[in-house]
């Protein structure tokens, strides 16, 4: 299964964060089959129901979300939804301003070759889950 170029670029950012912030952030990802009938959209809808009201309203404009849908799980158990790859990259550039590796990956836009990115590296929290 190959992710979209946006999802693959987000995964590259996640990999850089996993390496740069071992112990600071636990990272994980889920990969779904692509297409209009993918369970991804219902999965994201269920996740959005767990967000605070303000964030639910922000992400209510469409069913599911474009892939990827990125969020932070906070120490207090809350969630901070970021949105798609662009929002993940913006957050990473601010949060990891001192990491050249994260800045390099997060500041580059998605590329055609990202379609062939490897999903073999798990995040730091769990092995990848394929649905």
């Amino acid at each position: 299964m190959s992710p979209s170029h946006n999802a693959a670029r987000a995964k590259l950012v996640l990999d850089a964060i996993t390496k740069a912030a071992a112990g600071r952030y636990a990272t994980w990802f889920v990969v779904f089959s692509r297409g209009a009938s993918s369970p991804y959209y219902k999965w994201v809808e269920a996740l959005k129901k767990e967000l605070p009201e303000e964030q639910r309203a922000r992400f209510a404009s469409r069913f599911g979300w474009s892939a990827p849908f990125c969020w932070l799980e906070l120490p207090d158990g809350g969630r901070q939804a970021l949105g798609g790859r662009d929002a993940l990259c913006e957050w990473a550039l601010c949060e990891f301003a001192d990491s050249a590796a994260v800045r390099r990956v997060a500041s580059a836009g998605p590329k055609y070759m990202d379609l062939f990115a490897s999903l073999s590296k798990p995040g730091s929290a769990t092995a990848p889950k394929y649905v």
Side-chain angles (χ1 to χ4, degrees):
M1 161 180 349
S2 81
S4 70
H5 63 291
N6 282 317
R9 176 54 54 169
K11 176 64 170 72
L12 293 171
V13 172
L14 178 84
D15 290 345
I17 290 169
T18 301
K19 187 173 182 180
R24 240 175 86 200
Y25 288 92
T27 59
W28 60 276
F29 66 99
V30 178
V31 178
F32 290 87
S33 58
R34 292 173 66 186
S37 63
S38 174
Y40 168 77
Y41 302 101
K42 288 182 181 176
W43 188 81
V44 171
E45 282 302 306
L47 175 82
K48 290 190 309 189
K49 289 178 183 175
E50 299 175 9
L51 296 173
E53 180 60 39
E54 177 184 311
Q55 292 179 46
R56 281 197 310 268
R58 179 177 166 213
F59 294 103
S61 63
R62 58 184 134 154
F63 182 72
W65 198 256
S66 59
F69 186 75
C70 306
W71 72 93
L72 305 174
E73 295 195 4
L74 306 172
D76 66 2
R79 290 192 172 140
Q80 177 187 343
L82 299 175
R85 178 202 43 90
D86 289 343
L88 171 66
C89 290
E90 288 173 19
W91 173 82
L93 287 168
C94 291
E95 186 70 17
F96 295 94
D98 60 339
S99 171
V102 173
R103 280 195 332 271
R104 181 177 37 78
V105 177
S107 63
K111 297 174 177 28
Y112 171 76
M113 292 304 293
D114 289 346
L115 288 172
F116 307 103
S118 171
L119 299 176
S120 63
K121 286 184 186 176
S124 63
T126 64
K129 179 179 178 183
Y130 300 94
V131 179

